Amino acid sequence: MRLGITVVYLVSERNEKLLDLHLGQIEKHTKAPYMIYASVNRLLPEFRRKLEQHPRVKICECPTTDLRSSQEHAFYLDHLIGIALEDGVSHISVLHVDSFPIRSGWAQELADRLSESCVLAAIMRDEVFDQKPLTACLFFHRDFYLKYRPTFLLSDKELSSPAYKQYRRKFNHLPDSGVGYGFKLYTEGLSWYPLRKSSKGHSVFGGIYGDLIFHLGGAAWFDLYRYRTFYKDETSANALRKSAPLAVRCYFTLRQRILAVTPKQVRCFLALLRNVDKIICRGTINEMRREIYERERMQLLDDPEAYLSYLRTGKQSATHGE
């Protein structure tokens, strides 16, 4: 195996320890020959220098985009995979800066899961709500990519196609980065091996998947995008609602039908209350999530070994507290 690991490095000033941990864990647990193909278009100069000095990192000069959030990440990943394949790698793994292997032999174990029909291994973020491959760890053989040419996101035309509507009905998911791979597998009649959450210790943001990969989640979201989401317009919001579980979709339908027979004056009053509620609750919920994220981030960075051991086993060490 000759492994190409593709990573879009969006790292805030305070996350140097997270970057070092990510690089260290890859080096510690990757036994196959590998190279990290790095997009650094918006990386701080001091972190770029760190990557330039790393013997297992290749800085890739990707075209710069004005896209942000999931679209930006997908844009750079598509370019990185092309560069890695041109270098002759046999396998591709996609990781995030806040995801990394936690057990040696991870790449070979994922490669052994692949076959002619099962062409991909990846984290599944949620077995009910988000059943697509997640780019925090996505692994495949070069032949799969060269034959099918998947993209991380889908075009508007693809999203409005009958085939995608069937895929969305069969597999609940968020239509963000990774959806293109899931959709390609569906349309070509292929399968994938999901790395399901295997953590025994409790954590809101941090998780171990398949007892192979750790993903913190939220590093770019909290530090770079400041609560802004991919679903910022009504079209995207509707797509999110339609991809929700059946119970959630039923709730939206029932709510709309009740509102349709509610007197106009009552609807206006309820809308006013709902807007006030959104303003109050959104700030409160965001601050609660921020507080939880900061606590878990510090647990990871203060003592990675203790935190990861707790997640894997559910047992507290002397140095780790919830």
Side-chain angles (χ1 to χ4, degrees):
M1 180 194 305
R2 185 180 167 197
L3 177 63
I5 301 174
T6 59
V7 187
V8 178
Y9 284 101
L10 291 172
V11 186
S12 65
E13 287 182 82
R14 70 192 192 114
N15 271 337
E16 184 172 7
K17 288 180 69 174
L18 181 61
L19 174 62
D20 291 340
L21 178 61
H22 160 91
L23 294 171
Q25 288 288 117
I26 292 174
E27 184 174 2
K28 178 181 179 181
H29 292 299
T30 309
K31 303 308 179 184
Y34 76 93
M35 181 65 70
I36 299 174
Y37 293 83
S39 163
V40 296
N41 290 59
R42 289 204 294 129
L43 189 63
L44 294 170
E46 58 267 33
F47 293 161
R48 175 173 179 141
R49 287 192 292 271
K50 181 188 288 281
L51 293 180
E52 287 173 339
Q53 295 166 6
H54 195 291
R56 293 285 188 174
V57 174
K58 178 175 181 176
I59 302 295
C60 301
E61 301 296 343
C62 300
T64 298
T65 178
D66 292 329
L67 297 170
R68 290 295 179 262
S69 194
S70 187
Q71 298 102 317
E72 177 185 21
H73 191 250
F75 176 86
Y76 290 129
L77 280 180
D78 284 330
H79 283 279
L80 291 176
I81 286 174
I83 294 170
L85 291 174
E86 286 179 2
D87 270 3
V89 302
S90 64
H91 294 76
I92 293 281
S93 178
V94 179
L95 292 175
H96 294 179
V97 74
D98 60 0
S99 68
F100 47 76
I102 52 101
R103 189 153 58 79
S104 294
W106 67 280
Q108 188 60 55
E109 188 165 331
L110 293 181
D112 290 343
R113 296 287 183 177
L114 304 182
S115 66
E116 288 188 11
S117 58
C118 182
V119 295
L120 184 78
I123 285 176
M124 180 184 285
R125 177 161 41 197
D126 189 285
E127 294 186 47
V128 176
F129 187 59
D130 197 6
Q131 299 170 320
K132 71 173 186 302
L134 180 66
T135 56
C137 179
L138 194 149
F139 188 97
F140 55 88
H141 193 277
R142 64 179 287 120
D143 292 347
F144 159 69
Y145 184 90
L146 293 175
K147 182 175 181 179
Y148 295 103
R149 300 286 178 175
T151 56
F152 287 95
L153 291 176
L154 296 173
S155 66
D156 291 339
K157 182 179 180 180
E158 289 170 315
L159 288 171
S160 61
S161 68
Y164 176 72
K165 292 176 182 177
Q166 292 172 3
Y167 172 62
R168 187 180 64 206
R169 283 195 296 268
K170 189 168 184 179
F171 299 102
N172 288 322
H173 63 272
L174 302 176
D176 57 4
S177 189
V179 65
Y181 278 69
F183 183 55
K184 180 63 71 173
L185 299 180
Y186 176 74
T187 57
E188 298 295 339
L190 301 169
S191 64
W192 63 291
Y193 178 76
L195 296 173
R196 294 181 167 88
K197 195 168 187 178
S198 59
S199 306
K200 292 183 172 63
H202 172 72
S203 175
V204 174
F205 287 92
I208 291 174
Y209 297 84
D211 197 36
L212 284 178
I213 304 295
F214 169 80
H215 181 221
L216 176 60
W221 184 47
F222 280 109
D223 282 19
L224 297 171
Y225 298 124
R226 299 180 185 276
Y227 307 127
R228 287 177 294 175
T229 72
F230 177 58
Y231 314 101
K232 58 191 175 187
D233 56 43
E234 188 59 29
T235 301
S236 298
N238 287 334
L240 176 58
R241 282 196 284 270
K242 289 176 182 177
S243 67
L246 178 61
V248 177
R249 298 201 301 273
C250 288
Y251 162 75
F252 279 114
T253 300
L254 180 61
R255 189 182 70 175
Q256 289 170 350
R257 289 179 179 176
I258 291 174
L259 288 175
V261 297
T262 302
K264 182 178 179 181
Q265 295 85 347
V266 177
R267 290 203 308 270
C268 291
F269 178 69
L270 291 176
L272 177 62
L273 289 181
R274 190 164 61 248
N275 288 335
V276 172
D277 181 62
K278 283 181 179 179
I279 293 170
I280 295 172
C281 290
R282 183 181 299 153
T284 302
I285 292 171
N286 280 341
E287 287 309 311
M288 288 174 61
R289 288 172 61 81
R290 163 72 78 174
E291 182 179 341
I292 294 169
Y293 169 76
E294 293 296 342
R295 182 173 68 247
E296 294 183 358
R297 173 182 169 276
M298 290 309 301
Q299 288 173 346
L300 170 66
L301 298 182
D302 287 347
D303 194 338
E305 185 175 346
Y307 181 66
L308 294 174
S309 175
Y310 164 69
L311 287 184
R312 289 188 74 188
T313 66
K315 298 177 181 178
Q316 297 282 0
S317 70
T319 58
H320 175 74
E322 288 190 84

